[in-house]
Amino acid sequence: MFNADESSLAGNLMIFTAAACAVWIAGTKITAYADELAERFELSHALLGLLLLAGITSLPEIATSFTAAHADHAPLAVNNMLGGIAMQVAVLAVADFFFGERALTSVVPNPVVMLQSAFNICLLTFVAMAIIVGDVPFLGAGVWSWGIFAACAYSFIKISKAEQRLPWVINNPDDMVFGSSDRGKNARSLEGDSSVWLISKIVISALVILFAGYTLATVGDVIARQSGLGESFVGFALMSAATSLPEASMVFASVRRGLYTMAISGILGTNPFNVALIFGVDMIAPGAPVLSDMGDFSAIGTLLGLAVTGFFLMGLIERADRTIWRMGVDSAAVLIVYTGGMVLLYSIRGS
């Protein structure tokens, strides 16, 4: 087995780059496969983004966080997941910049993404409260961890049911066409593939994302520790960046293909997965409930994820299509707040 701790910095950087390329290619491919799957079986892009893409792109977080928890590095595991939430929303803002024509939140016709945003805000609020007040043991985890896991399960059920009834409608019918799936000019046709082969491709891509994403996170952790950064900041910024690459590749591929609902739903659907993983980390990690061991750093990181999600929710509700610097005003606010939050977290990384 390869041991990154025994490798030179240059060697680790080469492995990190190769794994990043593998994750990016697999994430891009799986978006095309998911689009074809949605067309064949008449599935909603919002629901597919939640259940398929969010689950698959969360695989690296599952592997790295559970491994860190088993090794008694619970703060690293939790900060990895919380950092991924804020970073993935920032990725949407960057995609909005490259999209360029209109504000990304103004061309998403499916109201389910607003429900996803609202649930994300509630879940992150519960996490912040648990970190601040502490947790107490209960059946192998903490009381707060059990409650947060139950809230995550409830959110998945409600979101899947919401797809069957759309109480909110858009004012401009042209937006429904603009925000629908554009199976675009650049997309390679998959119509000749059988459904079994298409699903096999999705499974293969998922395995690549799992193993290459896990390699990214473990090697990235070694690189970060060699640089002398604190464990909290490593988990929140660097490991979360590595494990967020699948989501980033999915977002850019979806936006390029015109699958705006899938792009946003994939990110907003991934975030409850990350929150739910806190329960798994709590069950695996030895000692006291993990949320009792988190400090101000993790609380501020959670609130950062809550704030940037709130900006996107406002954009989705308002649909004003106001742009600045080639992106929606909401996306610009997300990037400004995220950057400021990362500076603040770096300044208190020893907490």
Side-chain angles (χ1 to χ4, degrees):
M1 293 289 292
F2 170 76
N3 188 345
D5 287 297
E6 298 175 357
S7 178
S8 66
L9 178 60
N12 284 333
L13 287 172
M14 290 177 62
I15 294 170
F16 187 91
T17 302
C21 291
V23 166
W24 191 271
I25 293 170
T28 301
K29 294 287 186 184
I30 208 168
T31 302
Y33 303 152
D35 182 26
E36 180 65 25
L37 199 68
E39 294 294 330
R40 289 191 188 185
F41 296 98
E42 298 181 353
L43 302 173
S44 159
H45 285 98
L47 192 59
L48 201 66
L50 169 68
L51 299 179
L52 178 63
L53 295 182
I56 290 174
T57 54
S58 293
L59 290 174
E61 280 94 344
I62 295 173
T64 55
S65 296
F66 285 6
T67 301
H70 187 265
D72 200 15
H73 293 296
L76 182 67
V78 174
N79 284 318
N80 173 33
M81 293 178 292
L82 296 178
I85 291 172
M87 179 166 292
Q88 288 157 19
V89 177
V91 165
L92 277 177
V94 174
D96 193 1
F97 172 81
F98 287 101
F99 172 48
E101 299 176 29
R102 297 174 60 181
L104 184 60
T105 50
S106 73
V107 294
V108 177
N110 197 318
V112 172
V113 294
M114 292 189 288
L115 184 60
Q116 289 177 319
S117 300
F119 270 121
N120 284 338
I121 289 173
C122 291
L123 293 172
L124 290 172
T125 301
F126 296 152
V127 173
M129 292 169 63
I131 292 173
I132 292 170
V133 304
D135 206 353
V136 294
F138 179 72
L139 297 178
V143 173
W144 275 102
S145 292
W146 277 102
I148 290 168
F149 180 76
C152 290
Y154 177 76
S155 72
F156 292 133
I157 294 171
K158 293 298 290 184
I159 291 169
S160 62
K161 287 183 177 178
E163 191 64 39
Q164 302 164 10
R165 50 180 178 77
L166 302 179
W168 173 91
V169 293
I170 60 175
N171 294 323
N172 185 2
D174 293 337
D175 283 349
M176 179 64 77
V177 176
F178 193 82
S180 64
S181 166
D182 176 8
R183 293 168 57 85
K185 309 166 184 179
N186 313 338
R188 183 177 66 85
S189 175
L190 297 169
E191 294 178 359
D193 293 343
S194 67
S195 296
V196 173
W197 179 231
L198 183 64
I199 293 172
S200 299
K201 286 182 174 180
I202 292 176
V203 172
I204 293 170
S205 298
L207 291 174
V208 171
I209 288 173
L210 171 60
F211 291 111
Y214 179 74
T215 301
L216 266 178
T218 51
V219 175
D221 179 32
V222 174
I223 294 173
R225 283 190 281 108
Q226 290 173 342
S227 69
L229 295 173
E231 184 180 74
S232 294
F233 192 77
V234 167
F236 195 90
L238 298 174
M239 281 188 68
S240 61
T243 54
S244 294
L245 268 178
E247 289 87 353
S249 62
M250 179 273 296
V251 165
F252 282 96
S254 297
V255 169
R256 189 169 59 249
R257 294 172 63 90
L259 305 173
Y260 310 118
T261 297
M262 184 181 288
I264 294 182
S265 181
I267 291 296
L268 298 180
T270 298
N271 291 346
F273 272 99
N274 285 0
V275 175
L277 289 177
I278 293 175
F279 173 76
V281 168
D282 208 356
M283 293 291 288
I284 294 171
V290 295
L291 292 177
S292 296
D293 292 334
M294 314 307 293
D296 292 343
F297 182 97
S298 300
I300 293 173
T302 304
L303 294 174
L304 177 60
L306 194 157
V308 294
T309 303
F311 280 122
F312 257 107
L313 177 58
M314 287 188 284
L316 289 166
I317 294 173
E318 189 179 19
R319 297 174 56 83
D321 196 22
R322 293 193 302 270
T323 59
I324 181 174
W325 307 323
R326 284 178 47 87
M327 69 181 80
V329 173
D330 48 0
S331 293
V334 165
L335 290 180
I336 292 171
V337 170
Y338 180 76
T339 302
M342 294 306 294
V343 172
L344 173 61
L345 289 169
Y346 182 79
S347 68
I348 62 170
R349 64 190 183 280
S351 302

